[in-house]
């Protein structure tokens, strides 16, 4: 046979399925009509037989009039009434007969439901049709109409074969049931098949499950070490690992990679509580470690060989996800991603966690298609990155994986990464101490770098989070209820404001703006961040929260120095100096100096003490000098520093009073030194300003004033530079002392633990020895105890009659 015509192919593609379905529906309708006609004929025959014979009384229920005889009842009324038919013993039907009867029952019900002229059948009629009418209808359909339909069907098929032989051949290949002689029987059973179609999958599943459980219960107990059993897991051995490694390294075998992925999945779930069965089992710890190393190091190389990833200069990747090979490997990749995610949530060893994160980074381009799994993986990586228990190396590795996702992902994935990172930062900074402060700063600096990778996505997320901070602050101001300030005056809020100052410092820096040639998308966020920070400072202006104020001032100083934005911080610092805490004489105390870097609320014991006043004075002088050093080369420095200089001199005059002063020579001398440096820097600016030849309205000349001079060349710059070096040295000494203290405490804890273990061992040995001694003594004393018990019983027996006599 030649090639099929175009019209035939078009018909096969567009209309063949509909035509076949239509023919089947027409055949079902014909079958129902035939059953209906046969029932009518059967009813007429039964009525004729009853007319010939004498009518017999029958009991049946009537809704209103009770019971009556058959002779006064119409045929339709007779079949509508409920007739009690005595049950006859029936033989068991075959499955085929049951299927035929169910098909006829379903056809009768459908016919009656769709016929508007006839009334719905009663329960008795339906039961009668189920008992007796099924066999008759099925037999009638097979005997009377089956042969005619088959002959007509064969004639139609012969005509089709002569008219369109190509279409006839197609039907012969695709629908053989339509061409064979059992078409009538197939049509008769169509309703039964359609009715049981929904029930069959559930029944088959239940049967399979039940058979499996029965086999499992009936099966004898087998030795778990038998590797030849099909149900037992395959034990991974060293030769097996060597074989897989050789195939993956030398041949880049995908089959070996799939086996390693399967074994890796079993290793990742090895500590699960549920008894899930896997193909492989890893009982040996050394083999477990080798399997993890093999999977984590070799799988990325095999994938890179078969599915190379191309990366552009901007960081975008190109991977042919529509290729046939990627479609084949997609289920294995999804399973491996799930196993990696689960392994990251269960690992506690820092070295293994770092290796796992390092091997996850090259697999990220292959996981981009699995959005849901990737979101879960991002949450897990952020949890490792923000966990205070994680080591610094592990946190940095987790950050690199997160940064890679932000670089190669789309806008939606970037937004997910940024939001999850911010939530992890807020959660990880809840408990801030001297020991965790370094890790929190690491999180803030690394997360700030993520926001600079995409300024547009960073602006939308940053605006949302800064707005949330402003809403919290407004709620505290408008609803001054008890403890409402605690939603703002906590470490999480302070670290959040400090984090946004770091983000804006990195992305809106003057140097970066010059490189881009335009403003950053995050620059509009500077103003709301500054306003929220200043509002938080003045929420509770008491001396107990001076440390919190100093933290926020440092964040704004960082932002002002990087972006060149003027932020009026001198009034906030002068408020601290003019407070009652700094003007009155302090109480003598032996407390050590307070570490302002690790507290936001001063302890009550430090208030109005010499140690706290000295610490606050040092912070004020340092922050004022850092504030003015940003404008030390400004042509307007004299006008900027003059009001502050006047206020400081006035404060010095008040506190130097012998009767009402603070009597703190150390604090007063440091403020005097700051005033001197400000005045010296003002005179230096005036000397250089006298030599200029441009007017104040010349913006370019104003900005170019002393641009080539280093800030350390100014008098104030020299003073600040020396103070910074001195503080750095002090910080190093404090950090060294802290680490030595930690080591000493660790050794003491280990020694105490060893002593405790020794004492416990001694106690256990002593108890065992006591038990042995008591056991031997008990054996020796058994006979004596028995004799004593017998004597006591005899004495009681002798005493019992005397008691009875007394009672009488």
């Amino acid at each position: 046979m030649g090639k099929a015509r175009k019209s035939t192919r078009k018909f096969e593609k567009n209309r063949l399925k509909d035509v076949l379905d239509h023919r089947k529906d027409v055949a079902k309708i014909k079958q129902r009509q035939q059953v209906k006609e046969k029932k009518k004929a059967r009813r007429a025959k039964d009525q004729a037989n009853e007319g010939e014979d004498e009518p017999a009384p029958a009991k049946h229920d009537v809704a209103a009039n009770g019971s009556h005889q058959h002779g006064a009842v119409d045929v339709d009324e007779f079949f509508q009434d409920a007739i009690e038919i005595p049950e006859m013993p029936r033989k068991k039907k075959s499955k085929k007969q049951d299927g035929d009867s169910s098909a006829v029952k379903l056809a009768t019900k459908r016919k009656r439901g769709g016929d508007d002229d006839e009334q719905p059948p009663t329960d008795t009629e339906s039961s009668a049709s189920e008992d007796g009418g099924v066999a008759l209808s099925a037999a009638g359909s097979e005997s009377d109409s089956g042969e005619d339909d088959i002959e007509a069907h064969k004639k139609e098929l012969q005509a089709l074969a002569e008219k369109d032989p190509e279409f006839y051949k197609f039907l012969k290949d695709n629908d053989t049931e339509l061409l064979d002689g059992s078409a009538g029987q197939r049509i008769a059973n169509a309703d039964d098949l359609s009715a049981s179609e929904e029930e069959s999958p559930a029944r088959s599943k239940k049967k399979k499950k039940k058979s499996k459980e029965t086999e499992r219960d009936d099966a004898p107990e087998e030795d778990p070490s038998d590797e030849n059993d099909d149900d037992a897991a395959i034990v991974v051995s060293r030769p097996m690992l060597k074989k897989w490694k050789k195939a993956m390294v030398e041949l880049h075998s995908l089959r070996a990679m799939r086996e390693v992925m399967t074994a890796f999945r079993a290793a990742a779930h090895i500590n699960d509580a549920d008894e899930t069965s896997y193909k492989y089992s890893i009982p040996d710890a050394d083999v477990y470690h080798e399997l993890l190393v093999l999977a984590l190091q070799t799988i990325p190389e095999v994938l890179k060989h078969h599915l190379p990833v191309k990366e552009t200069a901007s960081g975008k990747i190109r991977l042919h996800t529509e290729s046939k090979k990627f479609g084949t490997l997609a289920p294995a990749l999804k399973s491996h991603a799930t196993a990696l995610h689960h392994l990251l949530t269960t690992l506690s060893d820092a070295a293994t966690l770092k290796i796992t994160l390092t091997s996850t980074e090259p697999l990220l381009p292959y996981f981009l298609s699995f959005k849901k799994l990737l979101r879960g993986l991002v949450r897990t990586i952020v949890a490792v990155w923000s966990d205070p228990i994680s080591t610094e190396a592990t946190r940095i590795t987790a950050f690199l994986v997160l940064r890679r996702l932000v670089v190669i992902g789309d806008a939606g994935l970037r937004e997910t990464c940024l939001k999850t990172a911010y939530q992890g930062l807020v959660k990880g900074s809840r408990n801030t101490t001297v020991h965790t402060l370094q890790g929190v700063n690491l999180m803030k600096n690394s997360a700030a770098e993520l926001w600079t990778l995409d300024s547009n996505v960073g602006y939308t997320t940053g605006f949302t989070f800064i707005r949330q901070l402003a809403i919290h602050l407004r709620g505290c101001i408008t609803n001054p209820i008890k403890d409402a300030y605690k939603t703002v005056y906590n470490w999480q809020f302070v670290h959040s404001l400090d984090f946004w100052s770091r983000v804006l410092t990195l992305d809106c820096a003057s140097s970066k703006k010059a490189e881009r040639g335009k403003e950053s998308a995050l620059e509009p966020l500077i103003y709301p961040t500054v306003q929220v920070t200043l509002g938080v400072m003045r929420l509770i202006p008491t001396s107990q929260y001076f440390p919190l104020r100093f933290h926020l001032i440092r964040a704004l100083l960082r932002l002002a120095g990087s972006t060149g934005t003027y932020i009026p911080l001198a009034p906030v610092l002068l408020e601290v100096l003019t407070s009652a805490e700094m003007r009155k004489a302090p109480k003598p105390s032996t407390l050590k100096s307070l570490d302002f870097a690790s507290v936001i609320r001063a302890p009550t014991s430090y208030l109005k003490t010499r140690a706290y006043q000295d610490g606050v004075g040092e912070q004020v002088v340092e922050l004022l000098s850092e504030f003015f050093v940003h404008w030390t080369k400004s042509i307007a420095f004299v006008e900027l520093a003059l009001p502050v200089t006047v206020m400081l001199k006035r404060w010095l005059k008040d506190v130097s009073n012998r009767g009402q002063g603070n009597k703190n020579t150390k604090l007063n001398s440091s403020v005097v030194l700051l005033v001197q440096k400000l005045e010296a820097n003002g005179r230096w600016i005036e000397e250089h300003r006298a030599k200029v030849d441009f007017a104040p309205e010349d913006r370019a000349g104003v900005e170019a004033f002393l641009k080539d001079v280093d800030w350390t060349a100014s008098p104030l710059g020299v003073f600040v530079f020396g103070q910074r070096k001195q503080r750095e040295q002090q910080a190093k000494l404090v950090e060294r002392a802290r680490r030595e203290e930690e080591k000493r405490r660790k050794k003491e804890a280990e020694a105490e633990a060893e002593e405790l273990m020794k004492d416990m061992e001694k106690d256990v040995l002593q108890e065992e020895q006591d038990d042995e001694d008591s056991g031997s003594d008990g054996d020796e004393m058994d006979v004596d105890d028995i004799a004593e018990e017998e004597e006591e019983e005899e004495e009681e027996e002798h005493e019992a009659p005397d008691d009875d006599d007394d009672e009488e």
Side-chain angles (χ1 to χ4, degrees):
M1 185 179 294
K3 187 178 179 181
R5 291 181 297 176
K6 183 177 180 181
S7 59
T8 305
R9 294 195 303 270
K10 189 175 181 181
F11 176 79
E12 293 173 358
K13 181 179 179 182
N14 299 329
R15 298 185 57 190
L16 178 60
K17 189 171 184 278
D18 297 336
V19 170
L20 294 176
D21 294 340
H22 179 68
R23 289 182 179 178
K24 293 177 181 179
D25 295 338
V26 170
K28 292 179 183 179
I29 295 172
K30 287 182 178 181
Q31 181 67 22
R32 292 169 187 169
Q33 295 294 333
Q34 291 173 0
V35 172
K36 184 177 178 181
E37 295 295 333
K38 286 178 174 52
K39 279 191 175 184
K40 288 183 178 180
R42 194 181 307 112
R43 290 175 184 174
K45 186 176 179 181
D46 294 340
Q47 186 178 3
N49 293 333
E50 289 175 358
E52 294 176 359
D53 299 335
E54 188 175 331
K59 295 181 180 180
H60 52 276
D61 298 333
V62 181
N65 300 326
S67 60
H68 49 79
Q69 301 294 331
H70 283 291
V73 181
D74 193 2
V75 177
D76 295 333
E77 294 178 357
F78 175 78
F79 280 100
Q80 288 177 2
D81 292 338
I83 303 172
E84 295 182 359
I85 301 176
E87 294 183 0
M88 299 294 293
R90 293 180 297 173
K91 296 182 180 179
K92 293 183 179 180
K93 298 180 181 180
S94 62
K95 294 182 179 180
K96 185 176 181 181
Q97 292 175 349
D98 292 341
D100 297 339
S101 62
S102 62
V104 177
K105 281 192 291 184
L106 184 60
T108 308
K109 290 179 182 178
R110 289 180 181 174
K111 181 262 299 181
R112 290 179 179 174
D115 194 356
D116 297 331
D117 297 332
E118 297 182 3
Q119 297 180 357
T122 60
D123 296 338
T124 310
E125 184 178 351
S126 61
S127 61
S129 63
E130 288 177 359
D131 293 337
V134 173
L136 294 174
S137 61
S141 62
E142 289 179 0
S143 60
D144 297 337
S145 64
E147 296 179 359
D148 297 336
D149 292 341
I150 292 173
E151 292 178 359
H153 186 64
K154 287 182 178 181
K155 291 180 181 180
E156 292 179 358
L157 292 177
Q158 290 178 0
L160 179 64
E162 295 175 358
K163 186 177 180 180
D164 196 348
E166 296 178 359
F167 182 60
Y168 181 79
K169 184 178 182 299
F170 178 81
L171 291 178
K172 190 175 182 180
D173 296 336
N174 294 276
D175 196 355
T176 55
E177 295 180 357
L178 190 65
L179 302 180
D180 60 8
S182 62
Q185 183 67 26
R186 177 181 58 83
I187 294 172
N189 296 333
D191 289 340
D192 186 21
L193 293 175
S194 62
S196 61
E197 184 177 2
E198 297 180 356
E199 300 178 0
S200 58
R203 291 178 180 175
S204 61
K205 288 182 180 179
K206 290 181 180 178
K207 288 181 180 179
K208 289 180 180 179
K209 187 175 180 181
K210 189 174 181 181
S211 62
K212 286 183 179 179
E213 292 177 354
T214 306
E215 291 176 359
R216 192 182 296 111
D217 296 337
D218 296 340
E221 294 184 358
E222 298 180 358
D223 188 5
S225 61
D226 188 8
E227 298 181 1
N228 296 326
D229 189 6
D230 295 336
D231 296 335
I234 302 173
V235 178
V236 180
S237 59
R238 291 180 184 272
M240 192 182 297
L241 291 178
K242 290 181 181 179
K243 180 180 177 182
W244 288 342
K245 184 176 182 180
K246 183 178 179 181
M248 293 173 68
V249 173
E250 297 179 359
L251 305 176
H252 301 286
S253 174
L254 291 177
R255 185 173 183 179
M257 185 190 71
R258 288 194 184 95
E259 296 296 329
V260 172
M261 285 182 174
T262 307
F264 179 80
R265 184 187 176 195
H269 293 80
I270 196 170
N271 294 324
D272 289 357
D274 55 345
E275 298 179 357
T276 306
S277 60
Y278 296 96
K279 182 179 179 181
Y280 294 101
S281 64
I282 308 97
D284 191 0
D286 296 333
V287 175
Y288 174 82
H289 178 71
E290 292 181 6
L291 174 62
L292 290 185
V293 174
L294 175 64
L296 296 175
Q297 293 181 353
T298 317
I299 288 177
E301 298 297 329
V302 178
L303 289 174
K304 185 179 179 181
H305 176 78
H306 291 280
L307 295 171
V309 179
K310 297 179 181 179
E311 187 172 358
T312 61
S314 60
K316 300 297 181 181
I317 62 167
R318 293 181 180 177
L319 179 64
H320 296 289
T321 56
E322 298 179 356
S323 61
K324 184 178 180 181
K325 187 173 289 186
F326 184 85
T328 306
L329 294 175
L333 289 173
K334 190 173 182 180
S335 175
H336 189 61
T338 307
L340 272 175
H341 180 209
H342 185 77
L343 183 64
L344 287 173
T345 58
T346 57
L347 286 177
S348 58
D349 182 54
T352 310
L353 193 58
K354 183 181 177 182
I355 294 174
T356 306
L357 290 170
T358 305
S359 65
T360 305
E361 184 178 354
L363 295 176
L364 294 178
Y366 306 100
F367 295 162
L368 290 179
S369 301
F370 315 123
K371 299 294 183 182
K372 187 176 181 180
L373 287 175
L374 208 55
R375 285 194 294 269
L377 188 63
V378 169
R379 286 193 293 268
T380 305
I381 294 172
V382 169
V384 175
W385 169 72
S386 62
D387 191 0
I389 305 175
S390 301
T391 61
E392 185 176 352
T394 306
R395 284 185 165 190
I396 293 174
T397 308
F399 163 71
L400 293 176
V401 177
L402 200 61
R403 186 182 185 279
R404 178 66 173 169
L405 274 174
V406 175
V407 171
I408 67 176
D410 54 1
L413 182 59
R414 290 177 182 177
E415 185 176 356
T416 302
C417 292
L418 294 181
K419 288 183 177 180
T420 311
Y422 182 75
Q423 293 170 0
L425 170 64
V426 174
K427 183 179 179 181
S429 61
R430 183 174 184 178
N431 297 322
T432 302
T433 60
V434 180
H435 309 287
T436 61
L437 185 61
Q438 187 176 2
V440 173
N441 290 331
L442 174 65
M443 283 195 296
K444 288 190 288 188
N445 291 329
S446 56
E449 186 179 348
L450 294 179
W451 254 263
T452 60
L453 297 176
D454 191 344
S455 300
N456 296 323
V457 178
Y459 173 78
T460 56
T461 54
F463 178 82
T464 304
F465 292 129
I466 293 173
R467 183 174 177 270
Q468 289 178 357
L469 298 176
I471 291 172
H472 285 299
L473 178 60
R474 185 184 64 181
C476 293
I477 296 173
T478 57
N479 300 321
I481 59 177
K482 185 180 178 181
D483 296 338
Y485 69 95
K486 290 184 179 179
T487 59
V488 175
Y489 274 32
N490 54 65
W491 271 117
Q492 291 176 311
F493 206 94
V494 172
H495 283 308
S496 298
L497 290 174
D498 184 65
F499 166 70
W500 290 117
S501 72
R502 292 172 189 261
V503 171
L504 298 175
T505 299
L506 282 177
D507 199 63
C508 304
S510 303
S511 58
K512 217 166 186 182
K513 182 179 178 180
E515 292 177 1
R516 286 193 299 258
K518 61 178 181 179
E519 295 183 353
S520 171
L522 297 177
E523 197 153 346
L525 297 177
I526 295 177
Y527 179 77
T529 304
V530 172
Q531 291 298 316
V532 173
T533 307
L534 292 175
V536 173
M537 287 182 197
R538 291 191 170 100
L539 183 62
I540 302 179
T542 59
S543 59
Q544 196 169 17
Y545 287 100
F546 282 166
L548 182 141
R549 180 175 293 206
F550 296 151
H551 279 287
L552 299 180
I553 288 174
R554 292 182 186 277
L556 293 183
L557 282 175
R558 185 190 306 111
L559 180 60
S562 176
T563 61
T565 305
Y566 175 75
I567 303 173
L569 296 176
V572 182
L573 291 169
L574 291 176
E575 289 177 4
V576 177
L577 273 181
T578 56
S579 63
E581 185 76 26
M582 306 301 293
R583 286 183 295 147
K584 294 182 180 180
K587 297 182 297 185
S589 65
T590 57
L591 297 172
K592 64 178 183 179
S593 59
L594 184 64
D595 185 12
F596 286 88
S598 59
V599 295
I600 58 174
R601 180 178 178 271
T604 309
S605 59
Y606 275 86
L607 298 179
K608 297 180 181 181
T609 60
R610 182 65 178 268
Y612 188 62
Q613 194 179 73
D614 290 343
V616 172
E618 290 177 2
Q619 293 290 319
V620 171
V621 172
E622 176 192 347
L623 294 174
L624 276 175
S625 59
E626 290 288 344
F627 168 71
F628 282 108
V629 82
H630 292 317
W631 316 104
T632 184
K633 298 190 302 178
S634 175
I635 199 171
F637 181 83
V638 179
E639 290 76 14
L640 182 64
L642 181 60
V644 179
T645 306
V646 172
M647 291 291 294
L648 290 177
K649 287 182 178 181
R650 188 179 299 172
W651 181 83
L652 286 171
K653 185 178 180 180
D654 294 338
V655 298
S656 299
N657 190 353
R658 293 183 179 181
Q660 299 178 355
N662 57 10
K663 298 178 182 180
N664 193 337
T665 309
K666 180 182 178 181
L667 172 61
N668 299 340
S669 60
S670 62
V671 175
V672 169
L673 181 60
L674 176 62
V675 172
Q676 292 175 358
K677 295 301 178 182
L678 291 176
E679 291 178 346
N681 199 85
R683 289 192 295 270
W684 181 70
I685 291 294
E686 286 179 348
E687 291 176 2
H688 287 81
R689 194 164 63 177
K691 300 176 183 179
V692 300
D693 54 353
F694 54 85
E697 61 183 8
D698 188 359
R699 189 67 179 174
V702 170
E703 291 179 354
F705 179 74
L706 297 179
K707 191 174 183 179
D708 299 333
V709 180
D710 192 10
W711 67 274
T712 56
S714 63
L716 184 60
V718 173
F719 170 72
V720 172
F721 185 74
Q723 293 293 320
R724 286 181 181 178
K725 276 194 170 182
Q726 186 179 355
R727 286 192 296 271
E728 287 177 0
Q729 292 176 359
Q730 291 178 356
K732 287 181 181 179
L733 293 175
V734 172
E735 183 66 20
R736 187 182 303 171
R738 186 183 65 81
R739 291 181 179 179
E740 291 177 357
E741 183 69 17
E742 286 183 356
K743 290 180 181 179
R744 185 181 62 81
R745 290 181 179 178
K746 189 176 181 180
K747 289 181 180 179
E748 290 179 355
E750 291 177 354
E752 290 179 358
E754 290 179 359
E755 292 179 358
L756 183 62
M757 291 296 294
K758 290 180 181 178
D759 294 339
M760 291 176 64
E761 291 177 357
K762 289 181 181 178
D763 294 339
V764 171
L765 292 175
Q766 187 66 29
E767 289 177 359
E768 292 178 354
Q769 188 174 359
D770 294 341
D771 293 339
E772 292 176 358
D773 295 340
S774 62
S776 61
D777 295 340
D779 295 338
E780 294 175 358
M781 298 298 293
D782 283 342
V783 179
D784 298 337
D785 294 340
I786 293 171
E788 291 178 359
E789 290 177 359
E790 289 178 355
E791 291 177 358
E792 291 177 356
E793 290 177 357
E794 290 177 359
E795 291 177 357
E796 291 177 355
E797 290 176 357
H798 288 301
E799 291 176 357
D802 297 337
D803 296 338
D804 296 337
D805 296 338
D806 295 339
E807 290 176 0
E808 292 175 359

